[in-house]
Each structure stands twice: as C-alpha cells, then as structure tokens.
C-alpha cells in the first residue's frame, strides 16, 4: 500500500472507531440520540431490548477508543507487533460483525420484525463493518 493510501486507510478506520467510541460516551450520559428513548435506541442499534447505561456502554467506549488509538499508531509505524496485532483484531472483529449482519439479513439470526434494526443493519451496519474490516485487514498486513 502506498503512503497516501495508508494514511487515508488509517484515518478512516481510526476515525470510525473514534466516532463509535464518542457516541458510546455520549450514550453513557443517559442521552439517547438519535432515538427518542433507550428502548428505541436499543432496538435500532442491536435489534433487541437491553440497557444502554454506563456499565454497558463505557467499556465499549473504552474498547473502541483504545482500538482506534492502536490503529492510528500502527498506521503511523508506531507500536510494532502490538499495534499491528490490535489492527488485525479490529479487522477480525469487524468481519465477524459484518458476517453476523449478513446472517441477520438472511433471516438466520433473529431480530424483531418491527424494529428499525433490520433496515439499518442491511443498509448501514453490515456494509460499514465489511468495508472497514477489509480496510483494517489491508492496514494490518503493512509493517
């Protein structure tokens, strides 16, 4: 991968993880944007009812922000094997989520038919996860 592509890929993957982490921090405050309440948020994001309270979303925020920092470090040639492995783990995690999204889209995994999750999964979550998994995998192969 040439230097320009590496920089764009690094910025895109780390930016996605950073944005995801910041949204989780926002939800930890009790805010539910873009949904009107926690139930609607849960159904839209996960397709099931679950808590979006701080004990749930703060660890996810920490994980995605740390992963984003590792990808950023690896993309800039820092951190050696550790940040390369973390970037590979990001690629694997996104690929697993993307494949699960295909399972949901095919009806192999259950989701409430009345929730917005089905459409969001098909049009937003799964394509983003699969595309960014590919980008992170390309970046992880770089030394």
């Amino acid at each position: 991968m040439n230097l320009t592509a590496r920089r764009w890929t690094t910025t895109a993957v780390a930016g996605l993880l950073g944005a995801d982490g910041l949204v989780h921090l926002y939800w930890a405050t009790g805010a539910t944007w873009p949904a009107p309440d926690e139930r609607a948020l849960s159904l839209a994001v996960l397709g099931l009812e679950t808590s979006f309270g701080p004990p749930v979303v703060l660890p996810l925020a920490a994980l995605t922000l740390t992963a984003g920092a590792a990808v950023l470090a690896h993309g800039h040639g820092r951190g050696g094997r550790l940040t390369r492995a973390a970037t590979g783990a990001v690629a694997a995690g996104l690929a697993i989520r993307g494949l699960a999204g295909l399972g949901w889209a095919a009806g192999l995994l259950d989701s409430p038919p009345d929730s917005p999750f089905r459409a969001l999964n098909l049009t937003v979550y799964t394509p983003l996860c699969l595309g960014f998994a590919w980008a992170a995998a390309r970046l992880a192969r770089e030394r």
Side-chain angles (χ1 to χ4, degrees):
M1 178 183 315
N2 69 41
L3 185 58
T4 301
R6 184 179 176 126
R7 286 185 180 158
W8 277 102
T9 303
T10 297
T11 301
V13 175
L16 176 75
L17 294 167
D20 187 52
L22 291 175
V23 168
H24 280 80
L25 286 176
Y26 173 76
W27 289 334
T29 68
T32 59
W33 176 89
D37 56 46
E38 188 174 298
R39 179 182 182 280
L41 179 65
S42 179
L43 289 173
V45 173
L46 299 171
L48 56 93
E49 287 188 54
T50 191
S51 171
F52 267 66
V56 175
V57 295
L58 284 177
L60 294 171
L63 178 67
T64 56
L65 291 170
T66 301
V71 167
L72 194 60
H74 176 67
H76 287 2
R78 302 198 194 305
R81 290 182 189 170
L82 180 63
T83 59
R84 185 175 187 210
T87 302
V90 165
L94 288 168
I96 290 167
R97 170 55 186 88
L99 292 173
L102 293 176
W104 275 304
L108 301 174
L109 300 172
D110 195 32
S111 65
D114 61 337
S115 80
F117 175 78
R118 189 170 298 257
L120 288 169
N121 175 60
L122 188 58
T123 61
V124 180
Y125 307 147
T126 297
L128 277 176
C129 287
L130 292 174
F132 278 88
W134 175 79
R138 280 189 68 204
L139 189 59
R141 285 193 298 262
E142 297 287 314
R143 292 191 184 267

